[in-house]
Amino acid sequence: MSAPYTPAAPPTFPPASTAPSQPPPTEAVAQAPLQSYYRTLPPAQQPFPNAVPPFSSTGPTQPQAPPPVSPQSFPQAPPVSQPPFSTAQIPPGPTQLYGGPLPSTQPSFPRPPLPTSQPSAFPAGPPPTSTPSQLPGVMQPQLPVSQPSPYHSGPPLTSTGFPPQVGAPPRPPLAGMQGPPMASQGPPMASQGPPMASQGPPMASQGPPLTSQGPPMAQANHILPTQPGMPPGPINASLSGPPPQPGMQGYPPQQNGEHQCCYWVRGQAPPLVTTKFQVKDQGNASPRYIRCTAYNIPCNSDMAKQSQVPLAAVIKPLAPLPLDETPPYLLDHGESGPIRCNRCKAYMCPYMQFIEGGRRFQCGFCSCVTEVPPHYFQHLDHTGKRVDCYDRPELSMGSYEFTATVDYCKNNKFPQPPAFIFLIDVSYNAVKNEFKQENPDVESNIRVGFVTYNKVLHFYNVKASLAQPQMMVVSDVADMFVPLLDGFLVSVSESRVVIESLLDQIPEMFADTRETETVFGPVIQAGLEALKAADCAGKLFVFHSSLSIAEAPGKLKNREDKKLVGTDKEKSLFQSQVSFYNTLAKECVAQGCCVDLFLFPNQYVDVATLGVVPTSTGGSIYKYTYFQAPSDQERFLNDLRRDVQKQVGFDAVMRVRTSTGIRATDFFGSFYMSNTTDVELAGLDCDKTVTVEFRHDDKLSEETGALMQCAVLYTSCSGQRRLRIHNMAVNCCSQLADLYRNCETDTIINFFAKYAYRSVLSSPTKNVRDSLMNQCAQILACYRKNCASPSSAGQLILPECMKLLPVYLNCMLKSDVLQPGADVSLDDRAYLRQLVSTMDVAESHVFFYPRLLPLQKLDVESMTLPVAVRDSEERLSRGGVYLLENGLNIFLWVGVNAQQELLQNIFGTPAFSQIDPSMTSLPALDNPFSKRLREIIESVRLMVVKQEDKLELIFKHFLVEDKSNNGGASYVDFLCHMHKEIRQLLS
């Protein structure tokens, strides 16, 4: 939603904060009774408001930020004493202010609740310190505080959009949940004694002590592990502890989830995704919109190749903002449209330099000089800035929107408001699950239509003047057409009575069906044809349950063959079975027809093929394996409700422009590209990210830095054509130490995951894993060779910003896409692969390194969550109860000796033996503990796991620091292996 912009009374710009993204969903386990273990978290809610974010800024400090760029290249923001656009005071409160003017006094805009089945929003926070492992002579590596876990970031999002259950899309992290362990839990430092003589890991005869060093000019920060026998606990920030986290120069340490006030210095990494902060926009887009792998990029390609650090940005153009932050301002430049560079067509932004008294401007991207139109002319002040600089968002802010002129519309004609079409599978398999549809609460100017299908399609006339809906059947699925125009797409407010009558009748109409075959391709063709006939863009909500084996275009066969797993032919399982859906997806994008797919499978449905159209059109996939109405319908309705209500742009085109010296070369996400520069999305919603990789095509200058501008042209839900602009400036460096000082591990892991998950389409998974390990070893070896102080070869030296790179990389390598267990279905793997492609950094953070909370330490009175513990079986106490979630799944693990009072408060029984492991939700008990716990996991399909029960194997799958049953290495073994690889590269 955009705030209207009135030049008369310039609004203030509120700080932006990082909203948790939603974690990816997964599929169910093969056994129906066990339910699939891939589920999404609960609906939109922030259950842990006061949780301490993992890796709060209590980590080690980073070297000083590079000197600011000269004002000629990058106009500076006004002094804090003079906030642009308003004189509003900074609101009191513990939120951290991130880089820019204070929030405006503009009215807040209602935002849709977060998705339910998307990744959940547990607040992230580092797990407590860990005690040394039991291996003789080996100190268990501990995760440093200085970097948050990539699997968990940012404040929790509420979820209502992705399916929470098995295979459902990921949810935002649960508020209050915390991420990987702090630095104090990290690997033992070199100063702590002799190298770890590892008797366990086969990969290295010596387990290296871990030393985290800053570049030579900065003193290394050695974080000592806790003493053996000391209980894990949160770092007490009031003591003289470690300085702020690496990459966050100038950010004071954060304590207990409190938010600090900070201003963003260009070239320095923003607050971690696990940190709560407010954004002050002073010309750089909020990290909620753009996160980079490095904020100080190499000046030349040789240096970039030497370091092997990927140069990429994860862009979330319509990211939701916290309620206390103002959305981008909406600007109307009249019939002439926004001002642009004549050569590269970059839009007016803070990086344009006005010259010749304001009559011309020089483009910051290509240096071309362009005339300023007479109506846009303004005089310059003594510093060379326009005197109206702080009255115009496009001259002083990083993010803003323009209303687009008719020149930006198809066929030079303004678009119609979009339509929503619901296509419901009514085959035997779908109906027997008591599928019921809730009337979606959509905006009045969006028209809706309804189709049901099995082997044939049934269209419904729901015109307001009818007493009852009328059905029209199309049985010729080989040549699809829409049998009616008038009465198919209608206004909800006008036809509400007829629509509700139809939704009530659908389950009864098909209650006795014995039709087991369904079509799928013609269903999407029908929705596409309806949108073409109405000359509008829109979204298809397809509810599908089985493999499409009926005779029709796009017919599929069962190709589930686990014998191919681990062979060179494994990649074919991730590819589309037929080319029909690729062609269909291209047609959908051309019309602005986005497809959201809700799957309710009880067996193989070929998600790799069915997902082609949703993932090519910018849509979402929700998967509810073994759907059961009593336990799953609330989750499904929450997902559907959020999907209908969330902000979405239609018929979108995105282009990323860069300053001379670098260019965008590769793109990852759910979209279609007909050329090498334009990302085309039939739909772009507030949860979707597009990841862009950059490469050098010339040398960069330390004086001017590097610029990128993301421009997205889209149609809003009201039918208005808009341009959303996000600008980002980063520093350039000629020293490797500056590069390693300003990287963000969470974003690097997000990029590696997307790169690897796409690579499985063309390479064996073993080759993909080896390639990732090799690149990680090269990154760390380059640092050791060029930036670290001389030290013993037996020590493992890691950059402050990358202390957690090995643990997160190991978690990603053990994921079910790259190293599946025997019980992971092919559909689950395809589903996860497609989900991760659009995850933001906060979602991937918690997805790969789940949060594990000891509930026995839950403080009901203070409402704060306990500090998370490391994801390892040795952290589980037989007398405790633990909550584990990763955005898709949520488990409650109960130790055999759990306190009777705790069991009584949670389950209503004091006896471990009386707990029902098949329960999917907690009983509503009248005690504060029960109420608080149910708030945390409300409307989520819960899996209760009793210690030593058969379900414990599924739970242990998510203890990512341990060795996995399918061959994945433990964190200690992997660290030893990486050290061996680094030593080989250096020798």
Side-chain angles (χ1 to χ4, degrees), residues 121-203:
F122 283 63
T129 56
S130 54
T131 51
S133 89
Q134 305 306 312
L135 292 176
V138 179
M139 291 293 288
Q140 163 103 5
Q142 314 196 353
L143 298 182
V145 181
S146 61
Q147 265 291 89
S149 123
Y151 310 107
H152 224 290
S153 18
L157 289 185
T158 52
S159 42
T160 21
F162 286 90
Q165 184 68 336
V166 174
R171 296 167 161 259
L174 291 178
M177 289 286 242
Q178 326 200 326
M182 320 266 238
S184 57
Q185 315 154 243
M189 301 306 213
S191 59
Q192 300 170 245
M196 309 187 288
S198 164
Q199 305 176 354
M203 305 118 163

Side-chain angles (χ1 to χ4, degrees), residues 426-463:
V426 289
S427 64
Y428 173 76
N429 185 52
V431 173
K432 75 180 171 72
N433 282 329
E434 302 174 42
F435 177 83
K436 291 185 181 177
Q437 160 95 21
E438 182 187 67
N439 177 34
D441 180 16
V442 294
E443 298 178 22
S444 58
N445 60 346
I446 294 182
R447 292 167 296 167
V448 300
F450 296 88
V451 177
T452 57
Y453 67 92
N454 40 51
K455 276 177 70 172
V456 298
L457 277 72
H458 322 100
F459 293 78
Y460 296 91
N461 183 344
V462 286
K463 195 158 48 170

Side-chain angles (χ1 to χ4, degrees), residues 181-246:
M182 320 266 238
S184 57
Q185 315 154 243
M189 301 306 213
S191 59
Q192 300 170 245
M196 309 187 288
S198 164
Q199 305 176 354
M203 305 118 163
S205 55
Q206 229 182 321
L210 178 61
T211 302
S212 168
Q213 285 196 348
M217 61 271 295
Q219 184 161 1
N221 292 294
H222 294 282
I223 303 183
L224 300 177
T226 46
Q227 294 292 325
M230 290 292 285
I235 290 181
N236 187 342
S238 62
L239 304 176
S240 54
Q245 311 198 350

Side-chain angles (χ1 to χ4, degrees), residues 39 165 630-632 634 890 892 906-908 915-925 930 933-934 937-944:
R39 328 185 155 174
Q165 184 68 336
S631 55
D632 295 324
E634 191 58 37
I890 188 161
L892 198 62
I906 298 175
F907 302 104
I915 297 171
D916 179 7
S918 65
M919 66 171 64
T920 56
S921 60
L922 293 178
L925 305 176
S930 174
L933 186 55
R934 282 182 287 113
I937 56 179
E938 186 181 2
S939 76
V940 179
R941 179 99 180 249
L942 181 68
M943 185 179 283
V944 175

Side-chain angles (χ1 to χ4, degrees), residues 373-390:
H375 73 273
Y376 197 72
F377 172 80
Q378 187 54 273
H379 294 285
L380 307 184
D381 63 14
H382 66 286
T383 66
K385 288 184 184 174
R386 287 173 55 122
V387 296
D388 65 347
C389 175
Y390 300 117

Side-chain angles (χ1 to χ4, degrees), residues 627-646:
F627 181 87
Q628 296 171 1
S631 55
D632 295 324
Q633 70 177 10
E634 191 58 37
R635 176 174 55 91
F636 158 66
L637 291 177
N638 282 334
D639 291 340
L640 177 58
R641 188 179 297 115
R642 181 179 188 274
D643 200 53
V644 169
Q645 293 175 347
K646 64 185 175 185

Side-chain angles (χ1 to χ4, degrees), residues 371-652:
E371 292 279 346
V372 173
H375 73 273
Y376 197 72
F377 172 80
Q378 187 54 273
H379 294 285
L380 307 184
D381 63 14
H382 66 286
T383 66
K385 288 184 184 174
R386 287 173 55 122
V387 296
D388 65 347
C389 175
Y390 300 117
D391 294 334
R392 289 187 175 274
E394 75 274 21
L395 299 181
S396 56
M397 305 200 69
S399 300
Y400 42 86
E401 286 199 330
F402 296 111
T403 53
T405 62
V406 72
D407 302 334
Y408 290 86
C409 304
K410 282 184 181 174
N411 306 319
N412 284 338
K413 187 173 73 173
F414 283 112
Q416 298 288 329
F420 287 174
I421 301 177
F422 297 84
L423 303 114
I424 304 165
D425 178 353
V426 289
S427 64
Y428 173 76
N429 185 52
V431 173
K432 75 180 171 72
N433 282 329
E434 302 174 42
F435 177 83
K436 291 185 181 177
Q437 160 95 21
E438 182 187 67
N439 177 34
D441 180 16
V442 294
E443 298 178 22
S444 58
N445 60 346
I446 294 182
R447 292 167 296 167
V448 300
F450 296 88
V451 177
T452 57
Y453 67 92
N454 40 51
K455 276 177 70 172
V456 298
L457 277 72
H458 322 100
F459 293 78
Y460 296 91
N461 183 344
V462 286
K463 195 158 48 170
S465 57
L466 296 176
Q468 286 289 327
Q470 296 176 346
M471 176 199 285
M472 307 185 81
V473 180
V474 175
S475 54
D476 185 3
V477 291
D479 185 15
M480 186 47 59
F481 66 97
V482 180
L484 75 160
L485 295 180
D486 184 33
F488 178 63
L489 292 179
V490 298
S491 160
V492 174
S493 56
E494 293 175 7
S495 298
R496 181 176 293 276
V497 174
V498 189
I499 291 173
E500 289 178 349
S501 172
L502 170 64
L503 296 177
D504 287 339
Q505 292 178 39
I506 286 176
E508 299 169 14
M509 283 192 283
F510 299 97
D512 298 326
T513 183
R514 288 293 172 264
E515 184 54 74
T516 57
E517 293 188 354
T518 61
V519 296
F520 184 72
V523 176
I524 295 175
Q525 286 178 321
L528 174 61
E529 292 302 320
L531 294 178
K532 283 182 180 177
D535 190 23
C536 68
K539 182 183 278 194
L540 309 184
F541 297 82
V542 184
F543 305 90
H544 192 74
S545 65
S546 54
L547 190 66
S548 304
I549 56 174
E551 278 302 329
K555 175 183 175 181
L556 302 177
K557 61 182 180 183
N558 189 331
R559 57 169 182 164
E560 186 174 27
D561 186 358
K562 289 210 169 185
K563 292 176 186 172
L564 299 182
V565 174
T567 71
D568 288 349
K569 293 184 179 179
E570 182 179 13
K571 59 191 176 190
S572 66
L573 302 174
F574 293 109
Q575 299 166 356
S576 178
Q577 187 177 143
V578 292
S579 61
F580 169 84
Y581 292 101
N582 301 81
T583 306
L584 182 56
K586 184 178 177 180
E587 294 173 11
C588 287
V589 172
Q591 181 58 37
C593 171
C594 176
V595 178
D596 280 358
L597 179 58
F598 292 77
L599 287 171
F600 305 84
N602 286 341
Q603 53 192 0
Y604 179 74
V605 292
D606 198 351
V607 174
T609 301
L610 298 186
V612 166
V613 178
T615 54
S616 300
T617 60
S620 302
I621 305 175
Y622 302 83
K623 188 163 176 289
Y624 312 84
T625 308
Y626 308 117
F627 181 87
Q628 296 171 1
S631 55
D632 295 324
Q633 70 177 10
E634 191 58 37
R635 176 174 55 91
F636 158 66
L637 291 177
N638 282 334
D639 291 340
L640 177 58
R641 188 179 297 115
R642 181 179 188 274
D643 200 53
V644 169
Q645 293 175 347
K646 64 185 175 185
Q647 182 185 4
V648 59
F650 293 96
D651 210 1

